[in-house]
């Protein structure tokens, strides 16, 4: 289906392609600072003390800032427009990546990652809003899946950076290259594809899902994010601990990320054909991810390889579907709504790596991966409760057709 319009205006195929590419690149740039830090932790640790606990805290500082700023950034993106917000976040990310390349102390690294977390919060909600407002509904599943593929693309590039740059010319050059990429992504954003909506309303519009189910979904997705954040942050370090070389562990992270990207795209494509019932699929994928974490637990090379494939393939395939459900349930203010649920994502990503690193230091990777599996299962159960609340709300309120068609 082609949306009426002239080339270069919102809704045309040309603009939709630019929106999709910009959403992917913006999401990727937003997460690069933290995922590069995780992937290159072994090399960074030779210049700055960065053991498992410190790495978890460093990752946590990034997601703490994102959690604090997500809801506010959602309102900002609604007000000034997603394109302007995306360009701002890309420029800020580029500057921060360049500063990380020159960092000499752990406290400074924490401050830079905290600032990068705020930039990422704006990048993610703005990209969601750009897709929600600039892409036809029948293609939003695929487009949001592409956007969410930018996150595992960050881990893929992080894994690739280990053998190509980290163990050759040094980890600092990986951050310099990332800064250059961030500038290119910012410049390419179609700033005027979707205009800003003016001052965002503080009350929830008629027809949108009320706040309580959104908060429950945010709480549930936090547990999934805790497991996912630990996977991205510690995959290379855990691979080295399991007996892989540094370059090989980086390639495993890269391969797992590639599987995660493919599965996110497949899940998005099927979502557009299915048309609804996205949250039950999210729950099933989270249970599959838990199985992958259990395979990682023994710390053997073979189980590590298998666990990486399953954990990334299933446990990382759900974010596009989840965001699609939230966007469809909140047609009047998708940016603000995903800002609320993204808060749960960031809180989980904050707590997960910190707790994971502490558990590794005290008891080892086996218990840490087992707890990640439990967290993923807990998220799946929470999704079920959230969907139940949505269905109960529908029984008492006859929603608009756009909401009714989503079937959560």
């Amino acid at each position: 289906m082609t949306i009426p319009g002239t080339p270069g205006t919102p809704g045309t195929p040309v603009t939709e392609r630019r929106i999709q590419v910009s959403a992917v690149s913006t999401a990727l740039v937003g997460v690069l600072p933290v995922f590069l830090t995780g992937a290159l932790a072994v090399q960074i640790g030779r210049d700055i003390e960065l053991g498992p606990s410190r790495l978890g805290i460093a990752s946590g500082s990034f997601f703490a800032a994102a959690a604090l700023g997500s809801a506010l950034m959602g309102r900002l993106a609604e007000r000034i427009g997603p394109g302007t917000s995306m360009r701002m976040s890309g420029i800020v990310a580029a500057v921060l990546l360049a500063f990380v390349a020159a960092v000499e102390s752990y406290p400074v690294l924490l401050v830079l990652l905290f600032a990068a977390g705020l930039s990422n919060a704006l990048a993610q909600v703005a990209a969601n809003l750009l897709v929600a407002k600039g892409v036809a509904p029948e293609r939003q599943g695929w487009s949001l899946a592409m956007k969410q593929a930018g996150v595992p693309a960050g881990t893929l590039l992080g894994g690739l950076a280990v053998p190509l740059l980290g163990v050759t010319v040094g980890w600092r050059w990986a951050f310099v290259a990332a800064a250059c990429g961030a500038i290119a992504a910012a410049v390419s954003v179609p700033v005027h594809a979707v205009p800003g909506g003016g001052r965002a309303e503080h009350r929830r519009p008629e027809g949108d899902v009320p706040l309580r189910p959104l908060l429950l979904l945010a709480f549930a997705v936090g547990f999934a994010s805790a497991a996912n954040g630990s996977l991205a942050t510690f995959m290379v370090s855990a691979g080295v601990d399991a007996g892989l070389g540094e370059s090989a562990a980086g390639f495993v992270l890269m391969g797992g990320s590639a599987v995660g990207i493919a599965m996110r795209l497949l899940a998005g494509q099927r979502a557009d054909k299915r048309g609804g019932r996205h949250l039950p699929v999210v729950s099933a994928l989270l249970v599959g991810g838990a199985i992958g974490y259990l395979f990682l637990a023994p710390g053997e090379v073979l189980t590590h390889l298998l666990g990486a494939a399953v954990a990334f393939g299933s446990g990382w395939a759900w974010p596009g579907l989840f965001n699609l459900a939230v966007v469809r349930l909140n047609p009047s203010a998708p940016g603000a709504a995903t800002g609320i649920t993204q808060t749960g994502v960031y809180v989980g990503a904050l707590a997960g790596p910190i707790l994971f690193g502490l558990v590794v230091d005290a008891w080892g990777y086996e218990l840490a991966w087992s707890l990640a599996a439990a967290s993923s299962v807990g998220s799946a159960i929470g999704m079920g409760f959230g969907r139940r609340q949505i269905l109960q709300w529908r029984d008492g309120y006859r929603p608009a057709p756009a909401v009714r068609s989503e079937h959560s």
Side-chain angles (χ1 to χ4, degrees):
M1 175 180 175
T2 301
I3 303 174
T6 58
T9 61
T12 66
V14 173
T15 303
E16 284 199 355
R17 283 194 292 272
R18 286 194 65 193
I19 285 172
Q20 290 168 343
V21 171
S22 291
V24 172
S25 60
T26 298
L28 166 60
V29 166
V31 298
L32 265 183
V34 69
F35 287 159
L36 273 181
T37 301
L40 295 164
V42 175
Q43 291 76 37
I44 297 173
R46 297 189 181 115
D47 295 331
I48 302 169
E49 187 179 348
L50 197 66
S53 296
R54 281 194 160 204
L55 177 58
I57 293 170
S59 175
S61 70
F62 176 91
F63 291 109
L68 292 172
S70 183
L72 178 61
M73 294 303 178
R75 294 184 185 277
L76 176 63
E78 295 272 5
R79 180 171 184 175
I80 68 175
T84 300
S85 301
M86 290 164 66
R87 179 164 292 181
M88 287 171 53
S89 68
I91 293 172
V92 172
V95 172
L96 293 171
L97 284 163
F99 282 153
V100 172
V103 73
E104 296 288 351
S105 69
Y106 181 71
V108 174
L109 177 64
L110 290 182
V111 172
L112 292 174
L113 287 179
F114 186 89
L118 291 174
S119 172
N120 178 64
L122 181 59
Q124 302 302 326
V125 295
N128 289 339
L129 180 59
L130 188 69
V131 170
K133 297 294 188 180
V135 175
E138 63 270 21
R139 288 188 291 276
Q140 286 180 356
W142 170 257
S143 297
L144 283 170
M146 286 185 64
K147 177 260 176 182
Q148 290 299 143
V151 178
T155 64
L156 187 152
L157 291 180
L160 187 61
V162 176
L164 291 187
L165 298 172
V167 299
T168 55
V169 297
W171 63 270
R172 297 183 189 275
W173 287 104
F175 282 91
V176 171
C180 294
I183 288 293
V187 171
S188 66
V189 171
V191 172
H192 302 296
V194 175
R199 185 177 184 274
E201 293 290 337
H202 290 272
R203 62 180 180 83
R204 300 206 56 75
E206 281 291 310
D208 284 12
V209 168
L211 185 59
R212 184 177 176 182
L214 276 182
L215 291 176
L216 181 54
L217 290 177
F219 182 78
V221 81
F223 285 93
S225 182
N228 282 10
S230 301
L231 180 68
T233 303
F234 289 93
M235 177 56 65
V236 173
S237 300
V240 172
D241 184 76
L244 294 171
E246 292 179 17
S247 295
F251 278 121
V252 171
L253 175 62
M254 182 182 68
S257 301
V259 172
I261 290 170
M263 290 301 295
R264 287 190 184 196
L265 295 177
L266 177 62
Q269 183 184 49
R270 293 182 65 86
D272 284 333
K273 294 180 179 179
R274 185 175 59 248
R277 296 187 59 82
H278 305 311
L279 292 180
V281 178
V282 169
S283 294
L285 291 171
L286 289 170
V287 172
I291 295 173
Y293 296 129
L294 291 177
F295 276 120
L296 289 168
E300 302 292 336
V301 170
L302 182 59
T303 58
H304 182 85
L305 296 176
L306 181 60
V310 176
F312 276 107
S314 184
W316 267 45
W318 57 267
L321 285 179
F322 180 75
N323 280 336
L324 177 63
V326 175
V327 164
R328 293 284 177 84
L329 289 166
N330 297 272
S332 299
T338 57
I340 293 171
T341 55
Q342 282 291 121
T343 300
V345 171
Y346 296 136
V347 170
L350 156 67
I354 293 176
L355 295 175
F356 193 98
L358 292 173
V359 171
V360 170
D361 275 347
W363 296 286
Y365 279 102
E366 184 173 2
L367 179 59
W369 289 125
S370 299
L371 292 176
S375 183
S376 192
V377 171
S379 178
I381 294 172
M383 291 288 174
F385 281 112
R387 184 171 186 269
R388 181 179 179 183
Q389 280 203 358
I390 292 169
L391 294 177
Q392 290 174 343
W393 166 72
R394 283 179 176 158
D395 288 341
Y397 171 75
R398 191 176 301 277
V403 179
R404 193 167 55 245
S405 65
E406 203 285 322
H407 299 302
S408 63

